Amino acid sequence: MKNMNILTLCDKINLQPEIKSCVIEFANDFDFSTVTNQLRDFQNYEKMSDALAELQTILGEDTDNIKILACMLKASVDVYDIYREKGISDEIYFATMKCYPRFIDETYKMTGKLFFDRYWWTTRQAGCHLFRIGELEYEMKHIGDDIVIGIHIPSNVDFSPFAIDDSLASAKHFFAAYYRELSNAEYRCHSWLLDKQLRKMLKDSSNILSFQNRFEIFNEGEIGTDFIEWLYNTKSTDYAMLPENTSLQRNMKKYILSGGVIRNAYGRLK
């Protein structure tokens, strides 16, 4: 694709029409040159958090988060040039940028409102640090002086072993081709899906346990409640009211009502 702009990106990723119209209206009247430095700094892993804070200060009141969404989309448009220069496919570019409508859909399922609230995360996509390759996302994650490949699990993942095998193999080819310095990088995952307690709640044939078995757990991790959002599509911590539509939901609910906790464990790919 020769030219990329916010409207084209919105169309290609199927951004929700109600959100898209607001984004385009704002973008048409906004001078993006006033935030050039901040959007460019998303491309520097060590600077992206500060750049986000600066961007929010410049934008001022943004009650519906349309301003910051438009800026994230503009930064995502800008990094298209990096994809082209490296020869990374449009398929991977658009798959990566479909995070925007996915996040908005996730929030809608929980709140009933079309709303973008994941701007604290999308500096990674907008800064060209994270890519959707097949079913999983892969982040070039800076830890001290090292860079590891952080594996993230999108909500619309096909978690079958075959699909995960294909994604992991494709990711290794991707980094060998486009980021050769990371050809032998360590792959890590930090997730509640790696908590050993799930072994008591799932059948041995579970896709989740198949995923767990790919990792060596090197840190049991911190106690978290974010699993509530992904497993139950709510942020409520009224555990007694959680749904019981699946065996995992039922078993998890029983476990946490009895005082159990879930940890976000750290694992490295075997």
Side-chain angles (χ1 to χ4, degrees):
M1 183 171 294
K2 291 184 178 180
N3 298 310
M4 182 62 61
N5 55 48
I6 293 177
L7 178 58
T8 299
L9 179 57
C10 289
D11 288 340
K12 288 288 187 179
I13 64 176
N14 296 316
L15 192 69
Q16 290 83 352
E18 304 93 322
I19 300 292
K20 171 187 163 184
S21 62
C22 294
V23 164
I24 298 304
E25 181 180 0
F26 171 78
N28 286 340
D29 292 332
F30 185 66
D31 181 2
F32 284 100
S33 68
T34 61
V35 294
T36 296
N37 292 339
Q38 287 71 33
L39 301 190
R40 185 179 59 240
D41 280 350
F42 287 168
Q43 297 172 30
N44 184 314
Y45 199 89
E46 281 72 26
K47 290 184 177 180
M48 63 181 179
S49 293
D50 289 341
L52 175 59
E54 291 171 10
L55 176 62
Q56 289 177 288
T57 299
I58 293 169
L59 293 177
E61 185 178 354
D62 189 15
T63 52
D64 54 7
N65 286 351
I66 291 297
K67 295 179 184 179
I68 202 160
L69 173 57
C71 288
M72 287 291 171
L73 291 168
K74 177 62 168 66
S76 298
V77 166
D78 293 344
V79 298
Y80 184 66
D81 287 341
I82 297 176
Y83 279 74
R84 290 186 63 187
E85 289 165 8
K86 286 184 171 291
I88 301 172
S89 70
D90 280 1
E91 180 183 4
I92 289 178
Y93 175 77
F94 291 119
T96 300
M97 299 311 168
K98 283 182 180 179
C99 65
Y100 294 105
R102 186 177 80 243
F103 290 156
I104 291 168
D105 276 342
E106 288 169 2
T107 301
Y108 180 76
K109 287 178 182 177
M110 286 186 286
T111 68
K113 181 181 179 182
L114 285 173
F115 190 70
F116 175 65
D117 63 357
R118 220 69 61 84
Y119 53 84
W120 55 271
W121 180 256
T122 52
T123 50
R124 291 160 177 79
Q125 288 89 343
C128 213
H129 306 295
L130 182 152
F131 305 93
R132 176 80 182 254
I133 304 172
E135 293 303 316
L136 301 173
E137 293 176 326
Y138 300 87
E139 177 187 356
M140 297 181 290
K141 196 170 185 176
H142 295 214
I143 301 178
D145 295 329
D146 297 324
I147 299 178
V148 302
I149 307 300
I151 298 174
H152 302 290
I153 304 123
S155 61
N156 61 349
V157 65
D158 174 355
F159 223 32
S160 65
F162 175 82
I164 299 303
D165 282 342
D166 185 64
S167 177
L168 289 169
S170 297
K172 290 181 179 180
H173 285 300
F174 174 90
F175 288 106
Y178 305 117
Y179 294 90
R180 292 183 181 178
E181 69 278 14
L182 299 180
S183 294
N184 296 313
E186 185 173 271
Y187 285 66
R188 294 184 181 181
C189 185
H190 176 214
S191 174
W192 67 274
L193 290 169
L194 299 185
D195 189 309
K196 63 184 180 182
Q197 297 298 330
L198 296 181
R199 295 187 174 277
K200 304 173 184 177
M201 307 179 197
L202 295 163
K203 296 180 180 179
D204 291 343
S205 59
S206 159
N207 288 339
I208 291 176
L209 295 190
S210 172
F211 184 76
Q212 269 196 19
N213 289 336
R214 298 174 188 270
F215 294 88
E216 171 197 350
I217 306 303
F218 63 89
N219 187 326
E220 290 188 351
E222 67 283 353
I223 295 171
T225 57
D226 50 322
F227 72 92
I228 298 289
E229 179 177 343
W230 305 115
L231 182 56
Y232 296 100
N233 285 322
T234 180
K235 291 186 179 181
S236 171
T237 53
D238 183 357
Y239 300 148
M241 298 302 294
L242 293 175
E244 300 181 29
N245 299 319
T246 68
S247 60
L248 179 55
Q249 285 182 341
R250 291 190 293 272
N251 291 336
M252 180 69 80
K253 180 176 178 178
K254 181 179 179 180
Y255 173 70
I256 58 178
L257 283 174
S258 68
V261 297
I262 293 295
R263 294 180 178 272
N264 293 312
Y266 294 80
R268 58 172 61 92
L269 197 64
K270 294 177 182 176

